Amino acid sequence: MSFNTFGKLFRFTTWGESHGPAIGCVVDGCPPNISIKESDIQIELNKRKPGQSKFTTQRKEDDKVNILSGVFEGKSTGTPISLVIYNKDMRSRDYETIKNKFRPGHADYTYFKKYGIRDYRGGGRQSARETASRVAAGAIAKKVLETKIGKKFKVVGAVTQLGILGCDVSKWNDNYIKKNQLFCPDKSIIKLWEKYLLSVRKSGSSCGAIIEVRARGIPPGLGAPIYSKLDMDLAAAMMSINAVKGVNIGSGMNSAQLSGEQNSDEIFNKGKNTNFNSNNAGGILGGISSGQEIVVSFAVKPTSSILSSRKTIDKFGKNTSISVKGRHDPCVGIRAVPIGEAMMNCVLLDHYLMHKAQCK
Amino acid sequence: MSFNTFGKLFRFTTWGESHGPAIGCVVDGCPPNISIKESDIQIELNKRKPGQSKFTTQRKEDDKVNILSGVFEGKSTGTPISLVIYNKDMRSRDYETIKNKFRPGHADYTYFKKYGIRDYRGGGRQSARETASRVAAGAIAKKVLETKIGKKFKVVGAVTQLGILGCDVSKWNDNYIKKNQLFCPDKSIIKLWEKYLLSVRKSGSSCGAIIEVRARGIPPGLGAPIYSKLDMDLAAAMMSINAVKGVNIGSGMNSAQLSGEQNSDEIFNKGKNTNFNSNNAGGILGGISSGQEIVVSFAVKPTSSILSSRKTIDKFGKNTSISVKGRHDPCVGIRAVPIGEAMMNCVLLDHYLMHKAQCK
Amino acid sequence: MSFNTFGKLFRFTTWGESHGPAIGCVVDGCPPNISIKESDIQIELNKRKPGQSKFTTQRKEDDKVNILSGVFEGKSTGTPISLVIYNKDMRSRDYETIKNKFRPGHADYTYFKKYGIRDYRGGGRQSARETASRVAAGAIAKKVLETKIGKKFKVVGAVTQLGILGCDVSKWNDNYIKKNQLFCPDKSIIKLWEKYLLSVRKSGSSCGAIIEVRARGIPPGLGAPIYSKLDMDLAAAMMSINAVKGVNIGSGMNSAQLSGEQNSDEIFNKGKNTNFNSNNAGGILGGISSGQEIVVSFAVKPTSSILSSRKTIDKFGKNTSISVKGRHDPCVGIRAVPIGEAMMNCVLLDHYLMHKAQCK
Amino acid sequence: MSFNTFGKLFRFTTWGESHGPAIGCVVDGCPPNISIKESDIQIELNKRKPGQSKFTTQRKEDDKVNILSGVFEGKSTGTPISLVIYNKDMRSRDYETIKNKFRPGHADYTYFKKYGIRDYRGGGRQSARETASRVAAGAIAKKVLETKIGKKFKVVGAVTQLGILGCDVSKWNDNYIKKNQLFCPDKSIIKLWEKYLLSVRKSGSSCGAIIEVRARGIPPGLGAPIYSKLDMDLAAAMMSINAVKGVNIGSGMNSAQLSGEQNSDEIFNKGKNTNFNSNNAGGILGGISSGQEIVVSFAVKPTSSILSSRKTIDKFGKNTSISVKGRHDPCVGIRAVPIGEAMMNCVLLDHYLMHKAQCK
């Protein structure tokens, strides 16, 4: 896990800028003989694709993935899988007016301070466009885990808070999530969310979100203490997503307010199965999976590109102001759902392989 | 960052069990010619040491550090620095009664499921005793950063919430933190906290806490996108600490509820200095430090070792119950303050060196 | 350095199969603001390109490199540089007859035993075609080193033994190497070599070679003991090249036969310059560069694809025999010269950056 | 594999200076439930121990190993194993006279140029004393491989050339190697070698050696192309040993002189077993083990500490000369045999685990 590579045994390296000719990734360490088709990856990419509803940016991206290596006659060969997505519908001229200004809340200023040079078109490397590569890598991880663990394995994510509006997590419904454009798990809140989001969009403002990702069917034992703890790697994975500012495992930040009695999940056996009375731990104890559902949530800050004029400076050091027009999501958090799922899949497979190496 | 090693260029590897003969770490990648004395490390270790007040476990640990290599005539030589702390006051018999039971909220069950064997004495490797090694490594990182960056560099942590009781962060006072045993930054709340904590202790229960760590004097440019983002590595660092369940950067989870206008920190120049009107970003944009104060907070769950009887199973699969007597902290979060500071120091130095390598 | 990634701070990840749609690599950790053009890379690739003379395979490969990311307006941005070379002139049908047989001396058998599946077309991933990606990465490393170190920096490789025929290394001539198709450094031997190689080719046989790569202008201090020694990484780099079976640093294997007096290079100062009376060490002492010329040589075994019929087995376990027609180099060692240069450049830059991080 | 850490999944980190209080290592990634006793490690250390015969340095080192963590009730627990060896019989005063001079052939000069500081006592970190830590780590790797692979697994090393005197490798006898103090595999040469070595010692000179290490019972499939090739990692492992200047796999450097027909090892099946007519490949094809015996050899240069006066400079830049008295091996290569075996064991286990992770 270094620079542009994520993972230890299942590793992917992403590359590409928002307005360059292409983006892509190299997936390394994929076990051989796994059935992988471009369509397996495309399905996941389509979940993340912009331009699909009135709730996301109107930038049209085909996001069509091409497999350039590592798959032979429909099966992985154990060698690196190179995936490429060619960029289209790039309107670089949109960015000419802001090429010398640092957009507040964006990484324009910090990239420039770090590198002394930056590709300003669409944010260049700092653009969330990079996350398409992760979704592609995650699709491969998912295929491997489905093959190795079987049907009980499932990762599913949802938006559990949209701006100031939470939802009732106890009403979580996997099927419903797939059916609405906001990845909302709670049917009772959807109308309110849609109304709220359209008003945010209309006003040229933006809002944040909380995403929750759950993994089921994970055997106990995954996670390598101390510095490859499963929760540590999940926290890193989610925090690496653009605009994420906080990560919770299970009860997360709220666990500070619980008593020892409330927090520690009691254990009991029923037949041959080990059960827990609650899941404050989010399925992870001491950095190792317990066999419970793994629950991770993370906060995505509101889109920084807004219509309102904001104070800023330019690259020559002058005070100025900026108002970002272009085509932007009112809530980037929504499209973070498939990204969170992808990162979950990648981390789980990485730990699955590490566990197999050392302990099986 | 793998298994028991943390860091990329400044790396430390920890080892040791709670009731083994010793614990320690090997610090690798320390620049040469840095003045390092055992007392520099001991000062930091003493902050974490148990048995210092009525608010922490009465287990007495000298926690005396020994430098076994890498320092010659008071200066680092650039070679690995081996640090060892011999264990004392180990009462392994305390653990005989629970050696076959899995304590709820602890990693007893998951270690056993992973490895098929575990050193049950004091939690073995899963014990928070390991964190003494990190504090030692962090003390070295601190010395290096003080040498390289100079006086403006400072890392300071505090408890900002104790169980159900928050404090007023706007009253943060570095000096006051040092003077009270709860690392409280807000003088106005301390009496209430003490009263609360003693009642928690008396009842044999426990409570959680939120720790905030701030770093000042950090130049812009630290952090290596995409998968060595500064906030990603900080999230991983903090989540790797025992009992931590959530991590925030700047506004963290709360950023989900902010509007784009509220959240994005406006930028302006005053003379030659770049300033920001607010710090929701916690000093990090796009994974790179902005020059603002870096602000990380994390939640520590309540101590799982409590007096109340809890349902659990034993290693033979039988349902049973457990009540943990022994000597335990009512709030492990308090002693997490120097650990959080140490991890901050280590991550910052690691990124300082990485930035120097690629961009200077 | 793991799986398909080479390097620590300057890292490249290669991907692609001989007869897939493309091969390529992702170069990560390149410092920003380095002038990089496709033509800088193409020059190096052209040295390695087959089909250039009667001494190499007639397979025509354009080997045209495309930069897909990481370079903006002619300068590196510090983000990953993705390079792709589309495959052309692939005659997969050539391989149909041997798809179930394991060619002796090739990795057909071991890939199949490892992965249980393999892309047999042109050797798939095991093909030396992968080395084009390294040459591309090396071209970037070269540009960085030339920018950072300046004009005195130079890496140059040559063939110093062709099959049974050595050359006189004391006659080494950089300019002459460029002028002949065998990368021969010694003008006095070239006619003999050409005659020899044509006879090898005519008979359908093949021969091995020894390549020597020299680096000048390298400052003392590069190399990170113990397990990132400069010579260790160079040995790994060269041994990772297809068909390489031995690596020497300086006097190499011959040093076993020297006495302590003969071997240890005496040191003396002349003005401000430190000099050595000899260079048995090959410019590296204790894993660290001494400021002398760095000298690495390696042996490339003879091409395994020969006309003579050889005993082998097929994937069903049956004994059979094989005779490889196709288009093959009589001596793959010749085209290993630019590859050895590329690996030298990459290792040196990696250590240059590591040294800068820790010691400057 | 970075700085002072070797390995990917089975990793060890060494620390310590020749004349510091102790040396040691942390072994990480060891599978759980492996029977490990201090005596298992001590047996291997004793092979390397100086002061055992008239052929090695008279420095007496107990080299007694202590296990400080990771083993519980005689079994590995899957957590890091910390090993320490306390230094004794250190005569630092021996080094006072040379503390400002750079010994030719040693790393005195390069360490000083790199770090600007060095522990000159006994060479400090550059001393071959570090290799005791590797031998200890290798002993653990050996135990794991014996447990996992079983009785057919065996690694054995020998000296195959002593200075100018080779031996007849076809007379290799495992049992004989154990019985003589020179690790000679060929009984017919031993008298000559002893005579030669005593004369070298008497004259205050030194000689080099070639060590060959063989591994049997290794299943096909170990090795992860491209940049974790088994031969690449073995070359790195052997080149990292002090004073090693060349590494061969199988026919090694000599393969340059073979024809394609001579070099490629023919394959045939006999019953269910796959056999090869020769082993020029040294058991490795395309970076992956073939099931044949793995054969690695490496050259150790002559001891640089010799009685003869040698020209050198001091740290102030003055020309001077040096003659090293102290207690030194006339041929350090001899004690490199158990070190080579240890590195072979570590690399093989590392690849065994990697293969298990990805392909089983």
Side-chain angles (χ1 to χ4, degrees):
Chain A
M1 236 176 284
S2 193
F3 297 124
N4 294 280
T5 300
F6 186 88
K8 289 154 201 169
L9 286 176
F10 180 81
R11 299 151 63 90
F12 63 86
T13 302
T14 73
W15 55 268
E17 281 82 40
S18 179
H19 286 57
I23 60 164
C25 68
V26 184
V27 174
D28 204 1
C30 180
N33 277 302
I34 305 294
S35 165
I36 295 172
K37 296 187 299 290
E38 283 177 354
S39 60
D40 294 323
I41 303 169
Q42 199 61 50
I43 285 168
E44 301 297 323
L45 280 171
N46 290 348
K47 290 192 203 170
R48 182 202 157 278
K49 210 163 65 173
Q52 302 192 112
S53 79
K54 54 191 168 184
F55 304 115
T56 55
T57 171
Q58 294 310 301
R59 175 171 165 171
K60 292 270 185 312
E61 290 162 353
D62 256 2
D63 276 3
K64 212 195 130 352
V65 72
N66 302 276
I67 300 177
L68 296 185
S69 69
V71 177
F72 183 59
E73 298 177 346
K75 300 266 186 183
S76 63
T77 60
T79 63
I81 301 172
S82 177
L83 304 172
V84 68
I85 299 167
Y86 292 97
N87 285 330
K88 292 179 185 175
D89 192 32
M90 302 169 293
R91 302 192 198 161
S92 297
R93 264 163 307 167
D94 285 2
Y95 295 93
E96 275 298 310
T97 54
I98 57 161
K99 76 184 231 187
N100 293 325
K101 291 181 183 179
F102 303 125
R103 295 167 296 168
H106 277 284
D108 298 350
Y109 175 69
T110 54
Y111 265 72
F112 187 71
K113 291 302 274 187
K114 180 173 190 69
Y115 297 114
I117 181 176
R118 71 187 180 95
D119 178 353
Y120 55 81
R121 300 165 305 164
R125 181 69 180 153
Q126 71 191 74
S127 163
R129 183 134 186 75
E130 185 268 348
T131 57
S133 298
R134 310 178 185 217
V135 171
I140 292 174
K142 184 181 171 185
K143 287 289 290 185
V144 179
L145 284 166
E146 284 173 352
T147 309
K148 300 282 181 186
I149 294 181
K151 285 197 174 170
K152 64 187 168 175
F153 167 75
K154 187 173 188 186
V155 165
V156 59
V159 175
T160 56
Q161 181 162 326
L162 188 76
I164 53 171
L165 301 171
C167 76
D168 184 350
V169 183
S170 72
K171 292 187 180 152
W172 183 290
N173 181 324
D174 283 5
N175 288 325
Y176 186 67
I177 296 167
K178 284 188 273 182
K179 287 181 195 150
N180 72 87
Q181 294 174 310
L182 303 180
F183 296 103
C184 174
D186 167 16
K187 200 176 176 172
S188 67
I189 196 84
I190 191 78
K191 294 280 172 221
L192 193 57
W193 278 18
E194 291 182 350
K195 221 166 162 180
Y196 170 72
L197 193 55
L198 286 177
S199 79
V200 167
R201 160 160 235 164
K202 220 166 174 179
S203 66
S205 182
S206 62
C207 68
I210 292 178
I211 307 334
E212 185 169 309
V213 184
R214 300 175 174 193
R216 302 179 198 129
I218 305 302
L222 305 198
I226 302 291
Y227 299 110
S228 294
K229 284 179 171 171
L230 183 54
D231 38 3
M232 174 188 176
D233 283 353
L234 285 168
M238 300 313 174
M239 197 64 95
S240 77
I241 300 171
N242 305 47
V244 171
K245 300 303 284 184
V247 181
N248 286 337
I249 307 293
S251 293
M253 295 305 290
N254 292 333
S255 59
Q257 303 191 42
L258 303 177
S259 69
E261 288 78 5
Q262 291 168 315
N263 180 68
S264 78
D265 308 310
E266 290 186 303
I267 317 173
F268 64 97
N269 272 349
K270 202 168 174 181
K272 290 192 171 176
N273 295 322
T274 296
N275 300 280
F276 295 80
N277 269 329
S278 51
N279 192 9
N280 288 299
I284 302 173
L285 288 165
I288 304 172
S289 65
S290 66
Q292 281 199 284
E293 190 175 57
I294 293 173
V295 183
V296 180
S297 57
F298 55 90
V300 180
K301 70 179 185 183
T303 317
S304 297
S305 296
I306 47 177
L307 264 178
S308 313
S309 173
R310 306 285 293 162
K311 286 186 200 164
T312 191
I313 59 173
D314 65 20
K315 63 189 267 195
F316 312 107
K318 286 200 182 139
N319 288 317
T320 179
S321 68
I322 196 164
S323 164
V324 182
K325 275 133 196 167
R327 301 159 295 168
H328 298 283
D329 289 283
C331 176
V332 284
I334 296 166
R335 286 169 56 207
V337 172
I339 306 165
E341 290 175 343
M343 295 309 283
M344 174 70 92
N345 279 314
C346 290
V347 171
L348 288 175
L349 176 56
D350 205 21
H351 278 278
Y352 179 88
L353 298 176
M354 268 191 282
H355 183 60
K356 205 171 144 211
Q358 194 189 9
C359 296
K360 286 286 164 110
Chain B
M1 239 177 285
S2 191
F3 297 123
N4 294 279
T5 299
F6 185 89
K8 288 154 202 168
L9 285 177
F10 180 81
R11 300 152 61 92
F12 63 86
T13 302
T14 72
W15 55 268
E17 280 83 40
S18 178
H19 286 57
I23 62 166
C25 68
V26 183
V27 174
D28 204 2
C30 180
N33 276 303
I34 306 294
S35 165
I36 294 171
K37 296 186 299 291
E38 284 178 353
S39 59
D40 295 323
I41 303 168
Q42 199 62 51
I43 285 168
E44 301 297 321
L45 280 171
N46 290 348
K47 288 192 204 169
R48 182 203 158 276
K49 209 163 65 172
Q52 300 192 115
S53 79
K54 53 193 169 184
F55 304 115
T56 55
T57 171
Q58 294 309 302
R59 175 170 166 173
K60 292 271 184 313
E61 292 163 352
D62 254 4
D63 276 3
K64 209 195 136 346
V65 72
N66 300 277
I67 299 176
L68 294 186
S69 70
V71 177
F72 183 59
E73 298 177 343
K75 300 267 186 180
S76 63
T77 59
T79 63
I81 302 173
S82 176
L83 303 172
V84 67
I85 299 168
Y86 292 97
N87 285 331
K88 291 180 183 173
D89 192 33
M90 303 168 294
R91 302 191 197 161
S92 295
R93 265 163 305 167
D94 286 3
Y95 295 93
E96 274 300 310
T97 54
I98 57 161
K99 75 184 229 187
N100 293 326
K101 292 182 182 177
F102 302 126
R103 294 167 298 167
H106 276 284
D108 298 350
Y109 174 71
T110 53
Y111 264 72
F112 188 72
K113 291 302 275 186
K114 181 175 188 69
Y115 297 114
I117 180 176
R118 71 184 180 98
D119 177 353
Y120 55 80
R121 299 165 308 162
R125 180 70 179 153
Q126 72 190 74
S127 164
R129 183 136 185 72
E130 185 268 349
T131 57
S133 297
R134 311 178 183 216
V135 171
I140 291 174
K142 184 182 171 185
K143 288 289 290 187
V144 179
L145 284 166
E146 284 173 351
T147 308
K148 300 281 183 189
I149 295 182
K151 284 197 174 169
K152 63 189 168 174
F153 167 74
K154 188 174 188 185
V155 165
V156 58
V159 175
T160 55
Q161 181 162 326
L162 187 75
I164 52 171
L165 302 171
C167 76
D168 184 348
V169 183
S170 72
K171 291 184 181 156
W172 182 292
N173 182 324
D174 283 5
N175 288 324
Y176 185 66
I177 296 166
K178 283 188 273 182
K179 287 182 192 149
N180 73 84
Q181 294 174 311
L182 302 182
F183 296 102
C184 174
D186 167 14
K187 200 174 175 174
S188 68
I189 197 85
I190 190 79
K191 292 282 171 219
L192 194 57
W193 279 17
E194 291 183 350
K195 222 167 159 177
Y196 169 72
L197 193 56
L198 286 176
S199 80
V200 167
R201 161 159 233 164
K202 221 168 173 176
S203 65
S205 183
S206 63
C207 68
I210 293 179
I211 308 330
E212 185 169 310
V213 183
R214 300 176 172 193
R216 303 180 197 130
I218 305 303
L222 305 198
I226 304 289
Y227 299 111
S228 295
K229 282 179 172 172
L230 184 54
D231 40 2
M232 174 188 177
D233 283 352
L234 285 169
M238 300 314 173
M239 197 62 96
S240 77
I241 301 173
N242 307 50
V244 170
K245 300 304 285 182
V247 181
N248 286 337
I249 306 293
S251 294
M253 297 303 291
N254 292 333
S255 58
Q257 304 191 41
L258 302 177
S259 69
E261 288 78 6
Q262 292 168 314
N263 180 67
S264 79
D265 309 309
E266 291 185 302
I267 318 175
F268 65 97
N269 271 349
K270 202 168 173 180
K272 290 192 170 177
N273 296 320
T274 297
N275 300 279
F276 295 80
N277 270 329
S278 51
N279 192 9
N280 288 299
I284 302 173
L285 287 164
I288 305 174
S289 66
S290 66
Q292 280 199 285
E293 190 175 55
I294 293 173
V295 183
V296 180
S297 57
F298 56 89
V300 180
K301 71 179 186 183
T303 318
S304 297
S305 296
I306 47 177
L307 263 179
S308 313
S309 175
R310 305 287 292 163
K311 285 187 199 162
T312 192
I313 59 172
D314 64 20
K315 62 190 264 193
F316 312 107
K318 287 203 180 134
N319 288 318
T320 177
S321 68
I322 196 164
S323 164
V324 182
K325 277 135 196 168
R327 300 160 294 169
H328 298 284
D329 289 282
C331 176
V332 283
I334 296 168
R335 288 168 57 206
V337 172
I339 305 166
E341 291 175 343
M343 296 309 284
M344 174 70 92
N345 279 313
C346 289
V347 171
L348 288 175
L349 176 54
D350 205 21
H351 279 277
Y352 179 88
L353 298 176
M354 268 192 283
H355 183 60
K356 205 172 143 209
Q358 194 190 7
C359 296
K360 286 287 164 108
Chain C
M1 240 177 282
S2 193
F3 296 123
N4 294 280
T5 300
F6 185 88
K8 290 153 201 169
L9 286 177
F10 180 81
R11 300 150 62 91
F12 64 85
T13 301
T14 73
W15 54 269
E17 280 83 40
S18 179
H19 286 57
I23 61 164
C25 67
V26 184
V27 174
D28 204 1
C30 180
N33 277 303
I34 305 295
S35 164
I36 294 171
K37 296 187 298 290
E38 283 177 354
S39 60
D40 295 323
I41 303 169
Q42 199 61 50
I43 285 168
E44 301 297 322
L45 281 171
N46 291 348
K47 289 192 203 168
R48 181 203 158 278
K49 211 164 65 172
Q52 302 193 113
S53 79
K54 52 192 170 183
F55 304 114
T56 55
T57 171
Q58 294 310 303
R59 174 171 167 172
K60 292 271 185 312
E61 291 162 352
D62 255 3
D63 277 3
K64 210 192 132 357
V65 71
N66 301 277
I67 300 177
L68 296 186
S69 69
V71 177
F72 183 59
E73 298 176 345
K75 300 266 186 182
S76 63
T77 60
T79 62
I81 302 172
S82 178
L83 304 172
V84 67
I85 299 167
Y86 293 97
N87 285 330
K88 293 180 183 170
D89 192 31
M90 303 170 293
R91 302 194 198 158
S92 297
R93 265 164 305 168
D94 285 2
Y95 295 92
E96 275 299 312
T97 55
I98 58 161
K99 74 184 232 189
N100 293 326
K101 291 183 183 178
F102 303 125
R103 295 167 297 168
H106 277 283
D108 298 350
Y109 175 71
T110 54
Y111 265 72
F112 187 71
K113 291 302 275 186
K114 180 173 190 71
Y115 297 115
I117 180 177
R118 70 184 182 96
D119 178 352
Y120 54 81
R121 301 165 305 164
R125 180 70 179 151
Q126 73 192 72
S127 163
R129 181 135 186 73
E130 184 268 349
T131 58
S133 298
R134 310 178 185 217
V135 171
I140 291 174
K142 185 182 171 184
K143 288 288 290 186
V144 179
L145 285 166
E146 284 173 351
T147 308
K148 301 281 182 186
I149 295 181
K151 285 198 174 168
K152 63 187 168 175
F153 167 73
K154 187 173 188 186
V155 165
V156 59
V159 175
T160 56
Q161 181 164 325
L162 188 75
I164 52 171
L165 300 172
C167 76
D168 183 349
V169 183
S170 72
K171 291 186 182 154
W172 182 292
N173 181 325
D174 283 5
N175 288 326
Y176 186 66
I177 295 167
K178 284 188 273 183
K179 288 182 192 147
N180 72 86
Q181 293 174 311
L182 302 181
F183 297 103
C184 174
D186 166 16
K187 201 175 175 173
S188 68
I189 197 84
I190 191 78
K191 293 280 172 221
L192 194 57
W193 278 17
E194 291 181 350
K195 221 168 161 179
Y196 170 73
L197 193 56
L198 286 176
S199 80
V200 166
R201 160 160 233 164
K202 221 168 174 177
S203 66
S205 182
S206 63
C207 69
I210 293 179
I211 309 326
E212 185 169 309
V213 183
R214 300 175 174 193
R216 302 180 197 127
I218 305 304
L222 305 197
I226 304 294
Y227 299 111
S228 294
K229 283 179 172 172
L230 183 55
D231 38 3
M232 173 187 176
D233 284 352
L234 285 168
M238 302 312 173
M239 197 64 95
S240 77
I241 301 171
N242 305 49
V244 171
K245 301 303 284 184
V247 181
N248 286 337
I249 307 292
S251 294
M253 296 304 290
N254 291 333
S255 58
Q257 303 190 41
L258 303 177
S259 70
E261 288 78 6
Q262 292 168 313
N263 180 68
S264 78
D265 309 310
E266 290 186 302
I267 317 173
F268 65 96
N269 272 350
K270 202 168 174 180
K272 290 192 172 176
N273 295 321
T274 296
N275 300 279
F276 296 79
N277 270 330
S278 52
N279 192 10
N280 287 299
I284 303 173
L285 287 165
I288 304 172
S289 66
S290 67
Q292 280 198 285
E293 190 176 55
I294 293 173
V295 183
V296 180
S297 57
F298 55 90
V300 180
K301 69 179 186 184
T303 318
S304 297
S305 296
I306 47 178
L307 263 179
S308 313
S309 174
R310 305 287 292 162
K311 286 187 199 161
T312 191
I313 59 173
D314 65 19
K315 62 188 266 195
F316 313 107
K318 286 201 180 136
N319 287 319
T320 177
S321 68
I322 196 164
S323 164
V324 183
K325 276 136 197 166
R327 301 160 293 170
H328 298 283
D329 290 283
C331 176
V332 282
I334 296 167
R335 287 170 55 207
V337 172
I339 307 166
E341 290 175 342
M343 295 309 282
M344 174 71 92
N345 279 314
C346 290
V347 171
L348 288 175
L349 176 55
D350 205 20
H351 279 279
Y352 179 87
L353 298 176
M354 268 191 282
H355 183 61
K356 205 171 144 209
Q358 196 190 7
C359 295
K360 287 285 163 110
Chain D
M1 238 176 287
S2 191
F3 296 124
N4 294 279
T5 299
F6 185 89
K8 288 153 201 168
L9 286 176
F10 180 81
R11 299 152 62 91
F12 64 86
T13 302
T14 73
W15 55 269
E17 281 82 39
S18 179
H19 286 58
I23 61 165
C25 68
V26 183
V27 174
D28 204 2
C30 180
N33 276 303
I34 305 294
S35 165
I36 294 171
K37 295 186 301 290
E38 282 177 355
S39 59
D40 295 324
I41 303 169
Q42 199 62 51
I43 285 168
E44 301 298 322
L45 279 172
N46 290 348
K47 289 192 203 168
R48 182 204 158 275
K49 208 162 67 173
Q52 300 193 113
S53 80
K54 52 193 169 183
F55 304 114
T56 55
T57 171
Q58 295 309 302
R59 174 172 166 170
K60 294 270 184 311
E61 292 163 351
D62 255 3
D63 277 4
K64 213 197 132 345
V65 72
N66 302 276
I67 300 176
L68 294 186
S69 70
V71 177
F72 184 58
E73 297 177 344
K75 301 265 186 184
S76 63
T77 59
T79 63
I81 302 173
S82 177
L83 304 172
V84 67
I85 299 168
Y86 292 98
N87 284 331
K88 291 177 184 173
D89 192 33
M90 304 167 293
R91 302 192 200 161
S92 296
R93 266 163 307 166
D94 285 3
Y95 295 93
E96 275 299 311
T97 54
I98 56 161
K99 74 184 231 187
N100 293 326
K101 292 181 183 178
F102 303 125
R103 295 167 297 168
H106 278 283
D108 298 350
Y109 174 71
T110 54
Y111 265 72
F112 187 72
K113 291 302 274 186
K114 180 174 189 70
Y115 297 115
I117 180 177
R118 71 185 180 97
D119 177 353
Y120 54 82
R121 300 164 308 163
R125 180 69 180 152
Q126 72 191 74
S127 164
R129 183 137 185 71
E130 184 269 347
T131 57
S133 297
R134 310 178 184 217
V135 171
I140 291 174
K142 184 182 171 184
K143 288 288 291 185
V144 178
L145 285 166
E146 284 173 352
T147 307
K148 300 281 182 188
I149 295 181
K151 284 198 175 170
K152 62 187 169 176
F153 167 74
K154 188 174 186 184
V155 165
V156 59
V159 175
T160 55
Q161 180 163 326
L162 188 74
I164 52 172
L165 301 171
C167 77
D168 183 349
V169 183
S170 72
K171 290 186 180 154
W172 182 291
N173 181 324
D174 283 5
N175 287 326
Y176 185 67
I177 294 166
K178 282 188 274 182
K179 287 181 193 149
N180 72 86
Q181 293 175 311
L182 302 181
F183 296 102
C184 174
D186 167 14
K187 201 174 174 175
S188 68
I189 196 84
I190 190 80
K191 292 283 173 220
L192 194 57
W193 279 17
E194 291 182 350
K195 222 167 159 179
Y196 170 72
L197 192 56
L198 286 176
S199 80
V200 167
R201 159 159 233 165
K202 222 168 172 177
S203 66
S205 183
S206 64
C207 68
I210 292 179
I211 308 329
E212 185 169 310
V213 183
R214 300 175 173 194
R216 303 181 196 127
I218 305 303
L222 306 197
I226 304 291
Y227 300 111
S228 295
K229 283 179 172 172
L230 183 54
D231 39 2
M232 175 189 176
D233 283 352
L234 285 169
M238 301 313 173
M239 197 62 95
S240 78
I241 301 173
N242 307 48
V244 171
K245 301 303 284 184
V247 181
N248 286 336
I249 306 293
S251 293
M253 297 303 293
N254 292 332
S255 58
Q257 303 190 41
L258 302 177
S259 70
E261 288 78 5
Q262 291 167 314
N263 180 68
S264 79
D265 309 309
E266 290 186 304
I267 317 174
F268 64 97
N269 272 350
K270 202 169 175 179
K272 292 193 171 176
N273 296 321
T274 298
N275 300 279
F276 295 80
N277 270 330
S278 52
N279 191 10
N280 288 300
I284 303 173
L285 287 165
I288 305 174
S289 65
S290 67
Q292 280 199 286
E293 189 174 57
I294 292 173
V295 183
V296 179
S297 57
F298 55 90
V300 180
K301 70 179 185 184
T303 318
S304 296
S305 296
I306 48 177
L307 263 178
S308 313
S309 174
R310 306 285 293 162
K311 285 186 201 162
T312 191
I313 58 172
D314 65 20
K315 62 189 266 196
F316 313 106
K318 287 201 180 137
N319 288 318
T320 177
S321 69
I322 196 163
S323 164
V324 184
K325 276 133 196 169
R327 301 160 295 169
H328 298 284
D329 289 282
C331 176
V332 284
I334 296 168
R335 286 169 57 205
V337 173
I339 305 166
E341 290 175 343
M343 296 310 283
M344 174 70 92
N345 279 313
C346 290
V347 171
L348 288 174
L349 176 55
D350 205 20
H351 279 279
Y352 179 88
L353 298 176
M354 268 191 283
H355 183 59
K356 206 172 145 209
Q358 194 190 7
C359 297
K360 287 284 163 115

